[in-house]
Amino acid sequence: ELAVSLFTALLGGEAQLTALGGERLRLPIKPGTQPGALLRLKDKGMPHYGKEGRGALIAKVRLQLPTDLTEDEKRALAAMAARRQGKPS
């Protein structure tokens, strides 16, 4: 699983994860990425059995919501929610 912040999922950006063997990888996150989305990194997964190369690393997006919003941030999110009311997700 790959923890992605609410704001990165909404606006896009990058997330980091540690692959097998300790390699730090950066994954591009497209704007509007949904929780549960599967991201694939070619040649970063498990080694192939009995031959050279590696498979793909698959990371499942887990949305990480902020738990320490300020009052200003809460008001801004409430205003955004009110403007989006009635619009499709």
Side-chain angles (χ1 to χ4, degrees):
E1 286 196 352
L2 177 65
V4 175
S5 76
L6 169 67
F7 304 106
T8 301
L10 287 171
L11 303 172
E14 285 187 343
Q16 293 186 357
L17 91 111
T18 303
L20 299 170
E23 181 181 5
R24 297 288 294 165
L25 303 172
R26 291 183 178 185
L27 284 85
I29 307 296
K30 293 180 182 177
T33 294
Q34 297 294 312
L38 299 177
L39 306 177
R40 182 178 186 270
L41 282 175
K42 185 178 177 182
D43 300 326
K44 298 296 181 181
M46 294 290 291
H48 290 296
Y49 180 74
K51 57 182 176 178
E52 290 186 33
R54 300 179 85 84
L57 183 147
I58 307 293
K60 184 177 181 180
V61 172
R62 179 176 49 84
L63 196 58
Q64 188 173 13
L65 299 175
T67 58
D68 58 349
L69 293 174
T70 66
E71 289 303 316
D72 285 343
E73 290 170 327
K74 289 176 186 177
R75 280 191 291 275
L77 286 170
M80 184 175 74
R83 284 194 301 274
R84 293 215 30 101
Q85 202 163 24
K87 292 183 181 180
S89 301

